[in-house]
């Protein structure tokens, strides 16, 4: 009898430990993360985009994307194409992809999408950025990349100008030759993902790694 009771107690203890280890939101569950090609709806599934994200986050990095809302980006921008938005609303970025490394929660980068009022025309920042041939205007600096492109959609919706903006975290120590190319490649991949979901035509977006624009 005593042996039977002892076995029951041990079995109960094992079940409790298993339940704790498998609780949603526990460290073991949240530290797993996803690969570069899987995060945020798989926008970086293309080999060029996946390679660019790994170059920034780290080879084989496991990533989490809490706070990312790729579905909301598509829903809100589809609504914007049907209903004219105020200037203030257009300037508000929607979080497409916010990435951290799994486990240590180190910030990597964030990408937002928004409707834009116009394509910037100032030449004041030319010496600080690299310009690329994709969309209507694409630039990348040390920690930031932006891409403006037109989305032509079928009536009764109206054409809209969209901006994809990438900001690399200060704590991400990925500075190296080619970092600007990698940033704009990811902004371009996010723009392509959203354009495809919206059914945009006439975007001017290129595939893979955008080439540097001729001066």
């Amino acid at each position: 009898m005593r042996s039977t009771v002892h076995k029951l107690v041990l079995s109960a203890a094992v079940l409790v430990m298993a339940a704790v280890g498998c609780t949603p939101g526990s460290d073991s569950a949240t530290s797993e993360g996803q690969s570069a090609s899987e995060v945020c709806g798989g926008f970086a599934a293309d080999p060029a985009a996946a390679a660019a994200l790994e170059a920034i986050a780290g080879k084989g990095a496991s990533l989490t994307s809490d706070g990312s809302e790729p579905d909301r980006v598509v829903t809100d921008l589809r609504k914007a194409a049907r209903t004219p938005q105020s200037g203030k609303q257009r300037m508000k970025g929607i979080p497409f992809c916010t990435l951290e490394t799994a486990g240590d929660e180190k910030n990597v980068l964030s990408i937002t999408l928004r409707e834009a009022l116009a394509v910037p025309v100032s030449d004041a920042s030319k010496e600080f950025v690299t310009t690329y041939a994709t969309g209507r205007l694409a630039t990348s600096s040390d920690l930031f990349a932006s891409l403006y492109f037109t989305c032509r959609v079928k009536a009764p919706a109206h054409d809209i100008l969209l901006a994809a903006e990438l900001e690399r975290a200060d704590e991400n120590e990925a500075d190296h030759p080619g970092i600007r190319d990698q940033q704009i490649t990811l902004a371009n991949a996010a723009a392509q993902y959203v354009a495809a979901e919206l059914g945009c035509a006439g975007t001017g977006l290129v595939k893979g790694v955008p080439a540097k624009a001729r001066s």
Side-chain angles (χ1 to χ4, degrees):
M1 180 66 178
R2 185 176 180 180
S3 176
T4 302
V5 172
H6 183 65
K7 289 179 180 179
L8 289 173
V9 171
L10 285 175
S11 298
V14 170
L15 288 173
V16 169
M17 291 175 66
V20 170
C22 297
T23 300
S26 66
D27 290 343
S28 60
T30 58
S31 62
E32 292 179 1
Q34 295 178 300
S35 68
S37 62
E38 296 173 318
V39 292
C40 303
F43 85 99
D46 177 83
L53 184 49
E54 282 202 333
I56 294 175
K59 186 68 174 178
S62 182
L63 303 169
T64 59
S65 55
D66 295 342
S68 302
E69 300 182 83
D71 291 340
R72 179 193 155 201
V73 169
V74 174
T75 299
D76 285 10
L77 292 180
R78 182 174 287 122
K79 178 181 177 181
R82 295 170 178 166
T83 307
Q85 305 292 300
S86 67
K88 184 177 180 179
Q89 185 66 26
R90 290 182 183 185
M91 296 300 289
K92 187 176 181 180
I94 310 166
F96 175 81
C97 191
T98 301
L99 298 177
E100 296 179 343
T101 50
D104 59 7
E105 298 182 350
K106 187 176 181 179
N107 293 324
V108 177
L109 58 81
S110 63
I111 302 174
T112 60
L113 268 288
R114 63 179 175 84
E115 186 181 3
L117 293 173
V119 178
V121 294
S122 174
D123 294 333
S125 63
K126 272 191 173 182
E127 61 180 298
F128 303 109
V129 302
T130 303
T131 306
Y132 295 84
T134 185
R136 292 183 60 181
L137 176 66
T139 61
S140 186
S141 60
D142 292 338
L143 290 171
F144 187 79
S146 65
L147 194 167
Y148 291 79
F149 65 100
T150 298
C151 175
R152 298 194 177 100
V153 287
K154 296 180 179 179
H158 63 280
D159 297 355
I160 54 177
L161 176 67
L162 301 179
E165 297 171 325
L166 177 150
E167 184 173 3
R168 189 162 56 88
D170 285 331
E171 63 189 273
N172 174 262
E173 301 172 355
D175 294 313
H176 55 260
I179 190 70
R180 294 187 179 190
D181 294 351
Q182 291 150 5
Q183 289 176 167
I184 203 63
T185 297
L186 291 173
N188 187 67
Q192 286 185 312
Y193 177 97
V194 172
E197 291 294 317
L198 292 175
C200 300
T203 64
L205 298 171
V206 301
K207 294 182 178 180
V209 181
K212 291 182 177 65
R214 296 179 181 179
S215 56

